[in-house]
Amino acid sequence: MTAVTDSGVEGCVADVLAIAAHRDDVEQTCGGTLLRMAARGLRTAILDLTQGEAGTRGSGDERAREAEDAAKLLGVGWRQALKLPDGAIENSLENRLEIVRVLRVVRPRVVILPYWQARHPDHAIVAALGYEACFLAGLGKAPGAAPAVRQTAPSARAMRLAAPAPAPAVAPAVRSAESSVRAEGERNSLELAPHRPFKIVYASLYADVRPSFIVDITPFIEQRHAALMAYRSQYANQAAGGGLFVPEEEIRERTFAEARHYGLLAGVRYGEPFVQKEVGLVDDLTLVPVQSI
Amino acid sequence: MTAVTDSGVEGCVADVLAIAAHRDDVEQTCGGTLLRMAARGLRTAILDLTQGEAGTRGSGDERAREAEDAAKLLGVGWRQALKLPDGAIENSLENRLEIVRVLRVVRPRVVILPYWQARHPDHAIVAALGYEACFLAGLGKAPGAAPAVRQTAPSARAMRLAAPAPAPAVAPAVRSAESSVRAEGERNSLELAPHRPFKIVYASLYADVRPSFIVDITPFIEQRHAALMAYRSQYANQAAGGGLFVPEEEIRERTFAEARHYGLLAGVRYGEPFVQKEVGLVDDLTLVPVQSI
Amino acid sequence: MTAVTDSGVEGCVADVLAIAAHRDDVEQTCGGTLLRMAARGLRTAILDLTQGEAGTRGSGDERAREAEDAAKLLGVGWRQALKLPDGAIENSLENRLEIVRVLRVVRPRVVILPYWQARHPDHAIVAALGYEACFLAGLGKAPGAAPAVRQTAPSARAMRLAAPAPAPAVAPAVRSAESSVRAEGERNSLELAPHRPFKIVYASLYADVRPSFIVDITPFIEQRHAALMAYRSQYANQAAGGGLFVPEEEIRERTFAEARHYGLLAGVRYGEPFVQKEVGLVDDLTLVPVQSI
Amino acid sequence: MTAVTDSGVEGCVADVLAIAAHRDDVEQTCGGTLLRMAARGLRTAILDLTQGEAGTRGSGDERAREAEDAAKLLGVGWRQALKLPDGAIENSLENRLEIVRVLRVVRPRVVILPYWQARHPDHAIVAALGYEACFLAGLGKAPGAAPAVRQTAPSARAMRLAAPAPAPAVAPAVRSAESSVRAEGERNSLELAPHRPFKIVYASLYADVRPSFIVDITPFIEQRHAALMAYRSQYANQAAGGGLFVPEEEIRERTFAEARHYGLLAGVRYGEPFVQKEVGLVDDLTLVPVQSI
Amino acid sequence: MTAVTDSGVEGCVADVLAIAAHRDDVEQTCGGTLLRMAARGLRTAILDLTQGEAGTRGSGDERAREAEDAAKLLGVGWRQALKLPDGAIENSLENRLEIVRVLRVVRPRVVILPYWQARHPDHAIVAALGYEACFLAGLGKAPGAAPAVRQTAPSARAMRLAAPAPAPAVAPAVRSAESSVRAEGERNSLELAPHRPFKIVYASLYADVRPSFIVDITPFIEQRHAALMAYRSQYANQAAGGGLFVPEEEIRERTFAEARHYGLLAGVRYGEPFVQKEVGLVDDLTLVPVQSI
Amino acid sequence: MTAVTDSGVEGCVADVLAIAAHRDDVEQTCGGTLLRMAARGLRTAILDLTQGEAGTRGSGDERAREAEDAAKLLGVGWRQALKLPDGAIENSLENRLEIVRVLRVVRPRVVILPYWQARHPDHAIVAALGYEACFLAGLGKAPGAAPAVRQTAPSARAMRLAAPAPAPAVAPAVRSAESSVRAEGERNSLELAPHRPFKIVYASLYADVRPSFIVDITPFIEQRHAALMAYRSQYANQAAGGGLFVPEEEIRERTFAEARHYGLLAGVRYGEPFVQKEVGLVDDLTLVPVQSI
């Protein structure tokens, strides 16, 4: 992966990177979009910020294996999970710098973040944390150097950045970023060339907010569902904890209904909603989609 | 023009139709966009709803000649003016049916209307009037027949629709819709085949509202200005009424500054702002324009 | 029906009256709610403002029979259709007074109107038309007298109000308001006792707007669907015009998906969304529904 | 209090818990609501996050006694004050865990928080801090364990959680949570059973925002005022610092005027305003309160 | 009054004109502001659009006398009532032209209109009707001439404008505009010189909307109340219809509470709220009122 | 400067203090306003929170000299830069206390902050950080004492506050606050008398948000531009890094266009936009600026 050059940007690992708090968040909010991007020949990647240790069912190892399976089903070439605390993610400089390192390795044109209002506090904070990391990743002068200078010595924290804990092994089919990241990791993230994504969009499925745009996922809805079901420890019908969990059939019915709702907004069958902060830019009025009346 | 078939839709006169209250409204709010569409090979048209008789300067005839000149400069192939009262346009069924007739002749894919909040009451009402006309134009069963049925007899109003007052003569260079419209006019507008535009967008330059999208008019800004300046009776430096009118140089400076402001929103040099009521639909996240950070 | 006294309010025909532009609007936007209200022992009623003559399929007579069938399926005890022009409803005093007459006969506590922003112009205008009629219906001094006074003589319009065209015959199972209305109709609507509904809510299913509240229609979703399907001329799979119409199965899938979407907002299975303009009033915080986290 | 079982939920200390930054905040924003809930037979509780040491008048001890008196007047059975810094409350994990401990002891169905926009920074931050604590309190797997694991050793902070500083003595009439909390405190808060409140509402009196709903406090307005006046060191007419403080009579006039304003919104005499993030859920349209016209 | 020249603008009757639907609307929503303006030496005027014939209590004559008394108490120098239908005001060109005539006689710098969202349909429509009249009043070329031209003959309506029905007699202390208006009325309103108000603001007391600004009416609150109480037929404690009417004391308590609420928003004792559509313009930041923290 | 008493408030250094993240932010967003205030005889000051070390061009020393030059051109009498990390400003108590110290020395009536939504994370965070510092600065009881009490001993952080690193030398023409600050600095900031600004406004030029008000900077637009151009290392046409930087002429064109856009909103030539959270308070309706129609 040190020689990923086929995107025309040397060292670019993926064109689209989805960042989320928990394993299976991406599957629920933008899995269909990742499938669509892959079907267009684009390379996609996922960064999960936690190991999901606060979940009721399943162990971290199980989740890691399931995430890998889901990544395969989504056609995602790169997936990694940081170890931020599940249920207590903070928008700290330290956490931002961990994401900066990933951004400078993956070098995506587009970053997908969760929408900034959410029931789960982790989702809301990741919107700010991820945005600020994208900003820092593009600064020419070492962004993390600021606190270092103030501390006048390499701190334990800085050391930790240079040698991250090994990530769980991943199967070859998912082109693991581990080797390259670990190789890059030998150098401080600040030594990696700056990279600022061109576009940041917010997956807003969890939020009751009017989207800026919809992505048509009609051909990918079944495959997206399969990817979500890859999290067997979470969603398979089973005895333990069953009272808290909706059965598999209901998940299908519920997620398809939401996809249908957003599809209807845009005149397609199934859709995933996104918010962007910027205004749009239109080349040709006759190509603007979504019928008015 | 009775045989305009080159758009693939028989009888379609233009791909994009801009409807506005007063002559020179279109030049100010979406003239650059019309130029851009024409440069892409699309056919464009303008419907002015009034003759501009409430204006302080110039006669109706002068205005008509100027509008024709401006249309040539904008590359617009079809321009017509109705005779709704300047300063007192109403959203009445009668007025809607006058526009229905035009829509069924021009058969545009996209209609540009003024934004629905505006200082000038005519601008605000045209947003509603135009929208409802677009709706009516697509109804299969005679929309105007409804009141007729209720009145159980051809009313004077219906007769009037069938034989509109002749429009002012237009030069051949602007492919006047008069002949075809007049020919069509022999038949009741209700006899024309229904047509509903696919897309309705609102030119929001006059309004202090966040646009949905910008159209980049950078290459066309000078030509747009020339089209506006074609309204010599309104904008040329002159003695009469000069106290009320901004001099020509200030118009240039003001309109360029606004175009620059909206261009900056979208990362281009000069832009025109539009609002759409629908959400967007995106094919490919890596092609979504306007840089986030 | 002249002696409907079981509601505690003499002469009250129904507790809830849904007013809509077209036959089958109510079935789509608040049919489940009407079923729920009926299941609670409340009396419900529907006022369709048009005869649906602008529709592509089916005749007015067919529609009338279908509307009656749908009313039976919804458990609605009173249904009537005015003859406002389909596709061109106006918020005129004349139209308001037609609705005033109905309100003073039916005397509902709650009126359901369509939401005030909509693709179909009729839906948007009915929100204003219906609201203003509810206001007028409660005025002690003859509201319609005002224009009469100005005209200084009983106008043709006033006469027409006194003797409305006979409505289509309805089967006894739907307790037709015709007889009582016709009996009352002998007197001018202004002679009926004023009545102002306590509550006006807006069915917002067609609009992409955040609802104030949801009504849980889970037990009634199949019956609501049956009521919609009663409009055989519109929705049954058939040859004519099929290109424009979605097949029956898709209607089911689409309407259930929307009901599921709004149900999910409120933590129930299927729901219908409403907007109210007023703030809420809560007796007991521990009884406020819809889980926060 | 170790055997509070009469609510049907074993160990539940109160049905409604109001959390606020400063002593006397609750009295001002939702004191009437707590009185109403108590009058309905519900058990209520208050958690003040600071000791109010930044206040100009009165000592911490005085304030504690006054808070106890106010609690008695409000019929509140449980009141405690944490020691977060007055004027500098942070939304830190440590602070969240302090509130988690309280939530797992009190186990309320409803939590009242201040609205998230406010002049006083403490009020705004408590909205986020309290919400995230409610979320954490319901997590099955130890939420605070995350940082602990990351630190790989019991930190000073964790120790501190296990043995909180003794709270000020409270009179028996207010059923102090101290004993039970201290008893529970012997165990880490993480050992208490998880508890997530069903409902979180935001008292919005300080904010100029449209409320979701009003609670009618008409019968309780005088008692609420008495509770506020229990803060004699703050509000009693006195010499010291008088220039900065509004006299007692003005407090009455001001707070009654605001209660009247919000009452008028809902058609009652005196009211307290609340915001909820969720949509409502309505059983019966004829029971929806607040007259529309 | 034909020679009112002391404002520096020949023919200007008042600096501030409040336009409202019903007698006593102005007293409730901006009476204190009119008193404040009068106290600053400005001339004020009121135009009531209806005669209040839909009211439950009192006759039109009574109301006219009461309005005159109220005008005296408010220090208003000019008050007139049109005869638009109470409860059914329309935003028609005819009605606009009636107001245009008044605007061209009174020639105010500032016009106060009701806010555009309101429970009473008349209030909402007057916001649009009044705004459009202000626009028309400033048009150089005869605005009303448009329909005239279309009708090609002086219509009955135009005649009616030229000879309005005599207004009720007013006492000399209120400088009645009747004589001058009647004198002017001999000429068509279109013959009066155009006049466009500089500023239009919306009195928003009835609406639950955030105001743009507050006017401090503290010194005038009692006098405003006296002006409202001048409507004895409406507000005095009495037998007839008492069930529907709030007693006098409650009116005082209610109106003072609302004035206090809006005063508190701006840091003064009593205030009246207004909305303006324009942004503000500030000379000196150190003079911007209303404390931030 | 120890004897600045001419403002009527002893010890007040400036009437208006602009706080921003980076040197040259103030020049871009409110430089014209500072010039206008100075022209009115008010004293102005600037606090830059960072040294701008993350910038691509120029050294910290260069920037400091340029900032001093810019301050002279703006007529600003006091300018200082803290050493918060460029690109990573946090809203921490420590940072708030650094600003509290400045506020208690400068003692402004008005504080200008950046708007709270921005592309650059530093700008957004400074809105909250600055607001909370203004709040803390006014607390009578030592705000920073809270954590101190909790730590039970003077912390290293508190010491650091007492002896800040020397600021870069400034020329006498800019009345440097260094001496007085350093003198004051000998005492803990908590020993300085509390001071709370009366007014906080947000410079919103970078944000696409509707301003509350505009300040007319027409006479100062060239001088403002000169002040921005004083940052020669950033903006002068030069070889190094030229690819990333817009040439000097484009800066002029762009900043003038934005100033023109905001000027047009308020009917003046050039303007700077501001947001305030409070409602306005108006003395006299006839003096409210900005024409309505």
Side-chain angles (χ1 to χ4, degrees), chain A residues 15-16 33 36-37 40 42 109-110 112 131 134-135 196-201 210-216 262 265-266 268 274 276-293, chain B residues 15-16 33 36-37 40 42 109-110 112 131 134-135 196-201 210-216 262 265-266 268 274 276-293:
Chain A
D15 305 289
V16 179
T33 299
R36 184 185 179 95
M37 296 303 103
R40 293 177 68 91
L42 296 164
R109 178 178 172 86
V110 178
I112 303 175
Y131 179 83
C134 288
F135 188 88
R196 187 169 291 170
F198 178 80
K199 196 75 191 177
I200 299 172
V201 298
R210 182 177 167 80
S212 303
F213 63 82
I214 302 295
V215 172
D216 181 0
Y262 287 109
L265 269 189
V268 300
F274 294 87
Q276 70 170 333
K277 291 180 179 167
E278 299 76 43
V279 300
L281 180 65
V282 158
D283 264 342
D284 185 332
L285 290 181
T286 64
L287 301 180
V288 179
V290 184
Q291 197 161 0
S292 295
I293 49 176
Chain B
D15 304 289
V16 179
T33 298
R36 182 184 179 95
M37 295 304 102
R40 292 177 70 91
L42 297 164
R109 178 178 172 86
V110 178
I112 303 175
Y131 178 85
C134 288
F135 189 88
R196 188 171 290 170
F198 178 81
K199 196 76 191 175
I200 300 173
V201 298
R210 182 177 167 81
S212 303
F213 62 83
I214 302 295
V215 172
D216 181 0
Y262 288 108
L265 268 189
V268 301
F274 294 87
Q276 70 170 331
K277 290 180 180 169
E278 297 77 45
V279 299
L281 180 65
V282 159
D283 265 341
D284 185 333
L285 290 181
T286 65
L287 301 180
V288 179
V290 185
Q291 197 163 0
S292 295
I293 50 175

Side-chain angles (χ1 to χ4, degrees), chain A residues 218-251:
Chain A
T218 306
F220 310 104
I221 185 87
E222 291 290 348
Q223 184 77 354
R224 184 185 81 165
H225 185 65
L228 185 56
M229 285 306 108
Y231 291 90
R232 291 168 301 278
S233 66
Q234 306 305 306
Y235 299 116
N237 290 323
Q238 50 187 256
L244 290 174
F245 285 81
V246 289
E248 187 173 332
E249 316 82 72
E250 188 183 334
I251 293 170

Side-chain angles (χ1 to χ4, degrees), chain E residues 225-264:
Chain E
H225 185 66
L228 185 56
M229 285 305 109
Y231 292 90
R232 290 169 299 278
S233 66
Q234 306 304 307
Y235 299 116
N237 291 323
Q238 51 187 255
L244 290 174
F245 285 81
V246 290
E248 186 173 334
E249 315 83 70
E250 189 185 331
I251 292 169
R252 180 186 181 90
E253 181 253 20
R254 174 191 287 197
T255 55
F256 277 57
E258 288 295 30
R260 187 73 183 101
H261 169 72
Y262 287 108
L264 281 166

Side-chain angles (χ1 to χ4, degrees), chain B:
Chain B
M1 191 158 303
T2 49
V4 174
T5 58
D6 54 351
S7 76
V9 182
E10 191 178 359
C12 166
V13 171
D15 304 289
V16 179
L17 170 66
I19 301 179
H22 316 104
R23 281 158 171 162
D24 88 7
D25 281 349
V26 161
E27 282 78 5
Q28 291 183 61
T29 62
C30 57
T33 298
L34 292 183
L35 278 161
R36 182 184 179 95
M37 295 304 102
R40 292 177 70 91
L42 297 164
R43 288 157 311 145
T44 56
I46 296 173
L47 176 67
D48 305 307
L49 297 182
T50 73
Q51 306 271 345
E53 71 275 10
T56 305
R57 296 206 266 188
S59 67
D61 279 359
E62 267 181 302
R63 289 228 164 187
R65 278 191 304 273
E66 292 167 355
E68 189 191 334
D69 291 348
K72 283 180 203 161
L73 289 163
L74 292 176
V76 163
W78 189 101
R79 181 168 208 161
Q80 196 180 8
L82 299 182
K83 292 184 172 173
L84 306 193
D86 186 1
I89 299 178
E90 308 274 346
N91 179 11
S92 65
L93 180 58
E94 177 180 350
N95 288 347
R96 271 176 250 150
L97 289 175
E98 292 213 44
I99 301 173
V100 165
R101 181 180 54 83
V102 171
L103 288 165
R104 289 182 173 182
V105 169
V106 176
R107 309 184 81 75
R109 178 178 172 86
V110 178
V111 168
I112 303 175
L113 297 172
Y115 187 69
W116 56 85
Q117 292 180 328
R119 293 200 171 187
H120 196 307
D122 281 352
H123 297 167
I125 204 71
V126 170
L129 169 62
Y131 178 85
E132 297 184 23
C134 288
F135 189 88
L136 277 184
L139 285 189
K141 289 192 180 169
V149 163
R150 303 184 91 210
Q151 296 165 5
T152 69
S155 67
R157 190 181 62 200
M159 297 304 287
R160 189 174 164 284
L161 280 176
V170 291
V174 176
R175 300 188 304 162
S176 165
E178 285 315 304
S179 57
S180 63
V181 167
R182 212 176 302 133
E184 298 284 10
E186 302 300 323
R187 292 184 283 143
N188 191 299
S189 73
L190 310 177
E191 298 170 19
L192 293 168
H195 173 78
R196 188 171 290 170
F198 178 81
K199 196 76 191 175
I200 300 173
V201 298
Y202 299 85
S204 62
L205 186 90
Y206 289 149
D208 184 27
V209 68
R210 182 177 167 81
S212 303
F213 62 83
I214 302 295
V215 172
D216 181 0
I217 62 161
T218 306
F220 311 105
I221 185 84
E222 289 291 349
Q223 185 77 354
R224 184 185 81 164
H225 185 67
L228 185 56
M229 285 305 107
Y231 292 90
R232 291 167 300 277
S233 66
Q234 307 304 306
Y235 299 115
N237 290 323
Q238 52 187 256
L244 289 175
F245 286 80
V246 290
E248 185 173 336
E249 316 83 69
E250 189 185 333
I251 292 170
R252 179 186 181 91
E253 182 252 20
R254 174 193 286 199
T255 55
F256 277 57
E258 287 296 30
R260 187 75 182 100
H261 169 73
Y262 288 108
L264 281 165
L265 268 189
V268 301
R269 191 161 185 92
Y270 295 113
E272 284 176 345
F274 294 87
V275 169
Q276 70 170 331
K277 290 180 180 169
E278 297 77 45
V279 299
L281 180 65
V282 159
D283 265 341
D284 185 333
L285 290 181
T286 65
L287 301 180
V288 179
V290 185
Q291 197 163 0
S292 295
I293 50 175

Side-chain angles (χ1 to χ4, degrees), chain E residues 38-53:
Chain E
R40 293 179 68 91
L42 296 164
R43 289 158 309 145
T44 57
I46 296 173
L47 176 67
D48 304 308
L49 296 183
T50 73
Q51 305 270 344
E53 71 276 9

Side-chain angles (χ1 to χ4, degrees), chain E residues 15-16 33 36-37 40 42 109-110 112 131 134-135 196-201 210-216 265-266 268 274 276-293, chain F residues 15-16 33 36-37 40 42 109-110 112 131 134-135 196-201 210-216 265-266 268 274 276-293:
Chain E
D15 305 289
V16 179
T33 299
R36 183 184 179 95
M37 295 304 102
R40 293 179 68 91
L42 296 164
R109 178 179 172 84
V110 178
I112 303 175
Y131 178 85
C134 288
F135 189 88
R196 187 170 290 170
F198 178 80
K199 196 74 190 178
I200 298 172
V201 298
R210 182 177 166 82
S212 302
F213 63 82
I214 302 295
V215 172
D216 181 359
L265 269 190
V268 301
F274 294 88
Q276 70 169 332
K277 290 179 179 169
E278 298 77 42
V279 300
L281 180 64
V282 159
D283 265 341
D284 185 332
L285 291 181
T286 65
L287 301 180
V288 179
V290 185
Q291 197 163 359
S292 294
I293 50 175
Chain F
D15 305 289
V16 179
T33 298
R36 183 183 180 95
M37 296 304 103
R40 292 178 69 91
L42 296 163
R109 177 178 173 85
V110 179
I112 303 175
Y131 178 84
C134 288
F135 189 87
R196 187 170 290 169
F198 178 81
K199 196 76 191 177
I200 299 173
V201 298
R210 182 177 167 82
S212 303
F213 63 83
I214 302 295
V215 172
D216 181 359
L265 269 189
V268 301
F274 294 87
Q276 70 170 333
K277 290 180 180 168
E278 297 77 44
V279 299
L281 180 65
V282 158
D283 266 341
D284 185 333
L285 291 180
T286 64
L287 301 179
V288 179
V290 184
Q291 198 163 359
S292 295
I293 49 176

